[in-house]
Amino acid sequence: MATISAVSTQKEAVSNQEEQPQKTFLPLQVAKRLEKFKTTIFTQMSMLAIKHEAINLGQGFPNFDGPEFVKEAAIQAIKEGKNQYARGYGVPDLNSAVAARFRKDTGLMVDPEKEVTVTSGCTEAIAATMLGLINPGDEVILFAPFYDSYEATLSMAGAKIKSMTLRPPDFSVPIDELKSVISKNTRAILINTPHNPTGKMFSREELNVIASLCIENDVLVFTDEVYDKLAFEADHISMASLPDMYERTITLNSLGKTFSLTGWKIGWAIAPPHLTWGVRQAHSFLTFATSTPMQWAAATALRAPESYYEELKRDYMAKKAILVEGLKAVGFVVYPSSGTYFVVVDHTPFGLENDVAFCEYLIKEVGVVAIPTSVFYLNPEDGKNLVRFTFCKDDDTLRSAVERMKAKLRRR
Ligand code: GLN
């Protein structure tokens, strides 16, 4: 099985920790705005995976490597001396490649100089968007379950979060609830399609309703589309491409998922100039610029032929089939996932009290790691029956995980 540096780096971190002599530390300190947050669930679970030698179907990082032509481009860029600070909002070649891909995907023509900002992963693009465009007290609507950094960065910005829950089996948008929550006081609504953790893809009807409510109430849309190339059961639709939406939309994306290079941390935000200004101001003082040689390589990656994306999709559909069929055979209630490399299941047939208890049992007694979803809700109760598995692992790893679960999990 391929081992990759991300795993070995994490392993080193764990073993270094164990070798440290016992020291006493002062109580932990953290600013109020981050007080309620814990170590991210992905870090917690990956550390436990290493400690218990469990198969990690938790944190979403491929255990196979990115394409040779992209790695070669990075080596080349380093050798050519592209090693000093990049232009703050992106090396020109990458801004152009992002704009060209956006045009191919959505039909929208954007100015790479004025409407594209390159960031350190989509996570920084999310933070820069929140910090650059949200004022303390502004209302922002989220759909739960939501990716953990949304709440934390909104909290840093001092936003007032309004969350509404997408419920199984289809996780559809509760339109009436949305209508009752959205108002002239709403500054922004955040969507994520294909959606982490559920694999839901927002339908055209849902996007249309959200769009018309945003236009009516003068609300911005922040849209996280990092899994756009992992759309299996439906076509990906970018909110920015809907009529009259581009001017109020910030589209966030990254390289990591599409090119199996999650450690490179290259992301971007696409928005009209009046919104790009806020994003760039925050980005300037968060990181200023992102790794120069990796940006050059990212530009090469984005010029990949269509066949690259087709193959990626084919490979992931095969992996998805192994995991989904396996989970069904083990006895889980598996909810349909249309995109992303995640699938959410109901664990209650196995009789454990909640998602956290189930994941603990799964790691310690079965040797498999999944992500408890209750951390993705403002009200953790809403996620207590659900856990997330990822299939961004080589086929043997997926099969071994299924075998372990078949051997040890019993319905109660
Ligand atoms: N996006 C990855 C996931 O959902 C996690 C990234 C991280 O660990 N912050 O699994």
Side-chain angles (χ1 to χ4, degrees):
M1 190 188 82
T3 36
I4 60 164
S5 52
V7 182
S8 37
T9 312
Q10 290 181 357
K11 273 189 186 144
E12 277 160 28
V14 168
S15 60
N16 285 346
Q17 264 174 18
E18 281 162 2
E19 282 157 23
Q20 293 291 323
Q22 283 294 321
K23 271 175 77 177
T24 351
F25 296 106
L26 293 171
L28 303 180
Q29 298 187 18
V30 64
K32 280 209 165 35
R33 65 178 81 88
L34 289 172
E35 220 163 36
K36 69 168 278 200
F37 302 98
K38 304 197 179 87
T39 302
T40 86
I41 194 69
F42 309 109
T43 304
Q44 284 183 49
M45 290 295 148
S46 285
M47 291 300 181
L48 283 175
I50 292 161
K51 185 168 166 206
H52 293 278
E53 294 187 354
I55 299 175
N56 193 353
L57 303 190
Q59 192 179 25
F61 63 88
N63 73 341
F64 40 86
D65 216 348
E68 283 306 310
F69 76 97
V70 186
K71 293 196 293 180
E72 280 304 328
I75 293 164
Q76 194 65 26
I78 291 171
K79 286 192 173 155
E80 281 170 8
K82 291 171 170 146
N83 298 308
Q84 306 309 328
Y85 293 130
R87 185 177 66 176
Y89 59 89
V91 303
D93 202 34
L94 179 54
N95 290 59
S96 298
V98 167
R101 181 174 127 185
F102 194 59
R103 184 169 188 196
K104 211 186 264 178
D105 290 345
T106 62
L108 295 166
M109 222 164 119
V110 299
D111 182 339
E113 297 300 302
K114 298 199 175 73
E115 298 172 87
V116 177
T117 307
V118 176
T119 56
S120 295
C122 187
T123 300
E124 197 220 344
I126 292 165
T129 301
M130 309 301 195
L131 293 168
L133 290 164
I134 299 294
N135 280 310
D138 282 355
E139 274 180 27
V140 178
I141 297 175
L142 295 184
F143 293 109
F146 48 75
Y147 186 56
D148 61 349
S149 91
Y150 305 157
E151 189 189 356
T153 49
L154 282 171
S155 170
M156 291 188 226
K160 205 157 118 198
I161 297 175
K162 301 259 167 154
S163 157
M164 67 196 54
T165 300
L166 307 175
R167 296 184 192 280
D170 53 6
F171 301 99
S172 55
V173 175
I175 303 287
D176 290 337
E177 199 185 337
L178 178 61
K179 284 183 180 159
S180 71
V181 169
I182 200 165
S183 75
K184 300 274 180 216
N185 296 329
T186 311
R187 169 68 167 154
I189 181 163
L190 200 156
I191 62 174
N192 169 212
T193 182
H195 181 257
N196 178 7
T198 65
K200 166 201 173 60
M201 290 178 63
F202 283 63
S203 68
R204 190 168 290 280
E205 292 68 39
E206 288 174 326
L207 293 173
N208 276 335
V209 175
I210 296 170
S212 67
L213 288 171
C214 287
I215 291 168
E216 199 181 309
N217 292 284
D218 195 17
V219 171
L220 302 177
V221 177
F222 303 157
T223 172
D224 174 349
E225 302 184 4
V226 294
Y227 299 99
D228 64 342
K229 296 294 177 192
L230 303 179
F232 307 116
E233 315 292 338
D235 289 333
H236 171 74
I237 305 167
S238 279
M239 181 58 111
S241 69
L242 268 55
D244 300 323
M245 284 309 288
Y246 180 70
E247 66 192 57
R248 59 180 66 255
T249 301
I250 294 156
T251 307
L252 308 165
N253 210 324
S254 74
L255 192 79
K257 280 73 181 167
T258 311
F259 290 92
S260 308
L261 294 165
T262 59
W264 281 27
K265 302 299 292 176
I266 300 287
W268 55 86
I270 303 172
H274 67 284
L275 298 175
T276 286
W277 176 241
V279 176
R280 282 191 185 175
Q281 285 307 90
H283 163 71
S284 293
F285 302 111
L286 281 169
T287 58
F288 174 65
T290 296
S291 166
T292 308
M294 295 328 209
Q295 290 195 54
W296 284 98
T300 303
L302 291 185
R303 294 199 190 96
E306 280 314 298
S307 56
Y308 171 79
Y309 299 103
E310 284 156 18
E311 197 180 327
L312 179 84
K313 219 153 132 170
R314 231 180 7 251
D315 288 352
Y316 267 124
M317 283 177 89
K319 292 183 189 306
K320 183 178 164 189
I322 296 172
L323 183 66
V324 168
E325 292 322 308
L327 291 171
K328 283 183 183 161
V330 171
F332 287 102
V333 179
V334 181
Y335 292 116
S337 157
S338 308
T340 74
Y341 42 48
F342 304 117
V343 54
V344 157
V345 302
D346 185 324
H347 64 80
T348 53
F350 302 102
L352 272 296
E353 187 190 339
N354 57 37
D355 59 327
V356 174
F358 177 80
C359 287
E360 270 173 23
Y361 180 85
L362 195 67
I363 293 173
K364 293 183 185 151
E365 307 300 327
V366 185
V368 174
V369 178
I371 299 286
T373 67
S374 52
V375 295
F376 299 126
Y377 295 82
L378 277 193
N379 175 14
E381 276 291 294
D382 286 344
K384 74 176 197 306
N385 293 346
L386 306 176
V387 299
R388 185 195 85 177
F389 288 92
T390 183
F391 50 89
C392 58
K393 308 293 166 180
D394 64 84
D395 298 1
D396 287 346
T397 300
L398 295 171
R399 286 198 187 94
S400 309
V402 168
E403 286 319 310
R404 285 188 185 188
M405 289 188 273
K406 273 187 186 157
K408 298 247 180 77
L409 276 180
R410 291 284 164 266
R411 280 172 168 264
R412 280 189 239 165

